[in-house]
Structures are given as C-alpha cells and as structure tokens.
Amino acid sequence: MDLKDNIEELSKKIEKYKDRVTNEEMTKTVFVLPFFDMLGYDTRNPFEFHAEFTADIADAKGEKVDYAILIDDVPRILVECKDCNNTLENCDKQLTRYFNVTPAKIGVLTNGIVYKFYTDLEKPNMMDDKPFLEINLLKIKDYQINELKKFARNTFDLDNILNSAEELKYSNAIKKLLKTEFDNPTENFISYILNEIYDGVKTQKVKDRFTNTIKKSINEFLNDIVRTKLEGALEVNKAVEKEIEIPQEPAEEVIETECGPVTTDEELQGFSVVKALLYGTIELDRITYRDTLNYFSVTIDDKVTKWICRLYFNGSTKFIRFPEIDEEGNKTDRGPKIPINSINDLYNFKDKLIESVKMYD
C-alpha cells in the first residue's frame, strides 16, 4: 500500500479506538508509533528512534523529549506527545526548550491525531511559534499527504524540507486568513473593499450596510470559480471520450422499474456539483451516494443515516431536500423539498450543504 492507503487505515483505527485511548502512554503506543512506522522508521531501533531522548537544558539537567529520530546518529526530528484528548493549545513550550538545545531542525508536536511540524524560520536554532505544517489524520488533504512524504525515512531530505517550509508556512497562513475574512470580514477588510469601489464617505453605517453585500459577493465569486472548474472538467472528459471514440449506448428514458433505481447522468452531474461545493469542508472521498426509486441521496461514508442532501430528479419538476434539526434538537428527515430549475441551481445551496455536513461532526 502507498502512504495514502496507510493513512486511511490508520485514520480508521483512530476513529475506532480514540474513545478508549485515555492517556499519553496509550496514545503513543496505539497512534503515534504506528504513524512513524508508516513513514518507514524502525521505532524499535534505539539507534534510529530514541525514546526518552535526553535534552539537557541549563539549570534543568535530565530533561527528556518523548522521541528523537536519529539520522547518521544525529537527532534531526524531535517528537513531543500529548494524549489524544489534548487539543495541543499552548503545548509547544516544552518542545521549544528541547529544540533550542539540540541539533534537531524539525520539531513535531502531536496528540496522535493532529501533528504540528515546526522549524526555525524566524531565528536560527530557535523554534518558531507557529508550525509550518499542521495535519489532522482524520481530515487530511491530498497536498498534505504529499508534504508528509518528504518526512519518510527512505526519502528524507532535510534541505528539501527546509526549502519548502517557509513557502508552506506562509501559504497556509494566507489561506487561513482568507478563509477568516471570507467567512466573517473584518472592518479593515470591508474598508479596503469600500476604498476600491465606493466614492462616498465610509461611515460606520455605510460599512454595516455593505458587510452582507461583500459576504454574498465573495460566496458568489467562489461559487463561480468552482462552477467554471467543474464545467471545464466536464468538457475535458467529453473531449477525451470523443477522442478515444468510446461507444455510446442509445439514450433511454429513465423510469422507475421494479428491478430497482436507475442512476441517470443528470444525478451523477448533481453529485459532482455537490462534491465540488464541499471541497475543503470534508474529504471528497468520504462523499458517496445511494440511489433509490424515489430520490438520489448524497451521503457520508456510504451511510444512509448520514445524508447530506437528497435530489429528486425523476419527475417533471426537480427538487432538493436537506436534513433539519427539530425543536428537540434531533435530526429529522422531514425538511421541505425545495424546487430547482436546473443542476446549476445547486450552486446556490453551498451554505446548506456545509451545514448538513456539520450536523454529523
């Protein structure tokens, strides 16, 4: 199996065991050691993976970091562990002390689920306050898997890691800032936009009036980007099919039969739009579908009880339905059926789709 497959297996183990793993030692054994095994390190070899590595600090002899990864007998990566129920907030001080007194250039802080990777971009031999890479094994993205491959034992290249660390750190910071501004624009951001588009006096009343317009415009802009990319991908697929002359079956009218549901191209296109709109909210490979005689259900992890939306495309009028929370706080399947004119109308429901996904967090 490749690294992505191994991570998926470890992720499943974490989901299964995390409620029974109740302390730091269990976290190390059940989650952390398998993670570094997965990266190709011999966690049972003290010459390569040194547990309780001594990192003496002035006036504090005998300080020990949980693990040091040795390459050519030199500590290159320090690993400080916390139990899996620890959020890792304000937990980097101990790792900083160890990092600053050893030759290591990479510090890793982890609770077995989240891994934060640090180096010394700001000041030589002084660990940065912020990680250049942070991954959550339960929500890992493809580009993060590619970055993680750089830490594998058989491809470890410290210079390569450090060369990409600065760009990665600030790229992540920029994306985080943009997401924050797009979700809840700050007054400075609103002022910047108004300075570019509004000639009148930018009073607080004007800023308040434009806040919702700016948020709506951002969402529409992002939806346009997603729509353009999706339409481009569909056109490429059509071009490829035409080029290789894939034989096409004659189109048939879709009807509900006693043999079971028939999944239509239109339903699959709707599924593709929903996946595109949920990019960045949930791992796309967790989004699945179940077709029935009455509706086409978009689900999480192929579980009928974890449905995101239902598409009703078989009748003369198209509808979409979302799960809702009743007055007692329980999820109900009785949300209203909302009429839509075409698949493109699905782009108007990005917020509702995200809300549906978050019901199952």
Side-chain angles (χ1 to χ4, degrees):
M1 293 193 297
D2 63 13
L3 183 59
K4 183 176 182 179
D5 293 330
N6 286 328
I7 288 175
E8 288 177 355
E9 288 298 315
L10 182 56
S11 175
K12 291 176 183 177
K13 180 188 289 186
I14 291 171
E15 286 279 17
K16 182 177 180 180
Y17 296 152
K18 63 181 180 179
D19 292 335
R20 300 294 293 270
V21 176
T22 56
N23 57 56
E24 184 177 310
E25 288 306 314
M26 291 180 69
T27 298
K28 292 178 185 177
T29 302
V30 181
F31 297 156
V32 177
L33 292 181
F35 174 81
F36 285 101
D37 285 334
M38 180 180 68
L39 290 178
Y41 294 99
D42 185 353
T43 58
R44 294 162 184 80
N45 179 357
F47 291 99
E48 179 170 297
F49 202 87
H50 195 306
E52 296 296 311
F53 183 78
T54 301
D56 286 337
I57 302 170
D59 301 323
K61 300 295 183 181
E63 288 279 318
K64 297 181 184 296
V65 65
D66 288 315
Y67 302 109
I69 295 178
L70 309 178
I71 296 178
D72 297 327
D73 208 33
V74 177
R76 295 301 185 189
I77 302 175
L78 301 182
V79 183
E80 181 65 17
C81 305
K82 304 299 177 183
D83 76 79
C84 65
N85 298 301
N86 190 315
T87 62
L88 300 182
E89 292 298 320
N90 301 316
C91 291
D92 59 336
K93 304 304 179 187
Q94 195 173 7
L95 179 61
T96 298
R97 296 201 306 272
Y98 302 146
F99 184 97
N100 295 347
V101 297
T102 69
K105 300 297 288 183
I106 303 294
V108 180
L109 178 65
T110 182
N111 62 4
I113 301 173
V114 174
Y115 286 78
K116 296 184 177 184
F117 294 79
Y118 298 83
T119 189
D120 56 352
L121 296 174
E122 304 296 335
K123 294 181 181 179
N125 304 316
M126 301 288 288
M127 194 179 90
D128 297 337
D129 292 334
K130 296 181 180 179
F132 67 87
L133 175 64
E134 180 175 340
I135 64 172
N136 183 327
L137 292 182
L138 299 180
K139 301 177 181 179
I140 194 165
K141 299 176 174 62
D142 286 343
Y143 85 89
Q144 293 174 326
I145 294 176
N146 290 332
E147 292 299 327
L148 201 54
K149 288 178 180 178
K150 297 176 182 178
F151 295 90
R153 181 66 182 90
N154 62 346
T155 58
F156 184 84
D157 184 335
L158 184 59
D159 289 337
N160 185 29
I161 293 172
L162 296 179
N163 286 339
S164 63
E166 183 171 17
E167 180 179 354
L168 192 61
K169 176 180 178 179
Y170 292 109
S171 173
N172 289 334
I174 291 169
K175 286 187 283 188
K176 186 175 182 180
L177 174 63
L178 290 175
K179 184 179 187 306
T180 300
E181 292 288 5
F182 289 173
D183 290 343
N184 293 291
T186 61
E187 185 171 347
N188 287 339
F189 185 75
I190 292 170
S191 296
Y192 169 75
I193 297 293
L194 291 180
N195 285 336
E196 297 294 323
I197 65 169
Y198 185 75
D199 294 330
V201 179
K202 286 79 171 175
T203 64
Q204 188 60 49
K205 185 176 181 180
V206 170
K207 292 178 182 178
D208 292 341
R209 178 160 60 89
F210 271 93
T211 297
N212 285 334
T213 301
I214 291 173
K215 290 179 66 173
K216 182 180 179 182
S217 299
I218 289 171
N219 283 328
E220 290 176 353
F221 172 69
L222 294 176
N223 286 342
D224 286 344
I225 292 176
V226 173
R227 184 185 298 115
T228 300
K229 288 184 177 294
L230 180 61
E231 290 172 351
L234 291 173
E235 289 301 319
V236 169
N237 287 339
K238 290 178 182 178
V240 171
E241 288 179 358
K242 184 176 181 180
E243 182 178 341
I244 61 178
E245 297 181 348
I246 297 177
Q248 301 291 329
E249 295 293 332
E252 296 181 0
E253 181 181 0
V254 177
I255 59 173
E256 295 180 356
T257 70
E258 294 182 358
C259 297
V262 177
T263 302
T264 67
D265 287 342
E266 195 172 41
E267 287 171 331
L268 292 176
Q269 289 175 22
F271 176 66
S272 296
V273 171
V274 171
K275 287 186 69 173
L277 292 174
L278 290 173
Y279 175 78
T281 300
I282 182 175
E283 295 86 347
L284 295 186
D285 57 5
R286 295 185 61 197
I287 303 177
T288 50
Y289 68 82
R290 291 285 188 97
D291 202 359
T292 72
L293 288 175
N294 296 320
Y295 54 79
F296 179 93
S297 183
V298 182
T299 59
I300 298 176
D301 300 329
D302 200 29
K303 295 181 180 178
V304 293
T305 56
K306 298 175 70 173
W307 61 281
I308 300 171
C309 68
R310 289 172 178 168
L311 306 178
Y312 299 78
F313 284 1
N314 289 331
S316 57
T317 302
K318 297 179 176 62
F319 298 91
I320 184 171
R321 170 178 276 168
F322 300 94
E324 291 194 347
I325 302 297
D326 62 22
E327 295 178 354
E328 297 179 355
N330 299 315
K331 183 176 72 65
T332 173
D333 293 353
R334 300 183 182 276
K337 291 169 66 176
I338 304 170
I340 59 175
N341 295 319
S342 68
I343 291 177
N344 285 338
D345 287 348
L346 295 177
Y347 289 100
N348 299 322
F349 297 101
K350 180 177 181 179
D351 290 343
K352 287 289 292 182
L353 291 167
I354 293 174
E355 182 181 319
S356 294
V357 170
K358 290 183 177 178
M359 284 185 182
Y360 304 103
D361 285 349

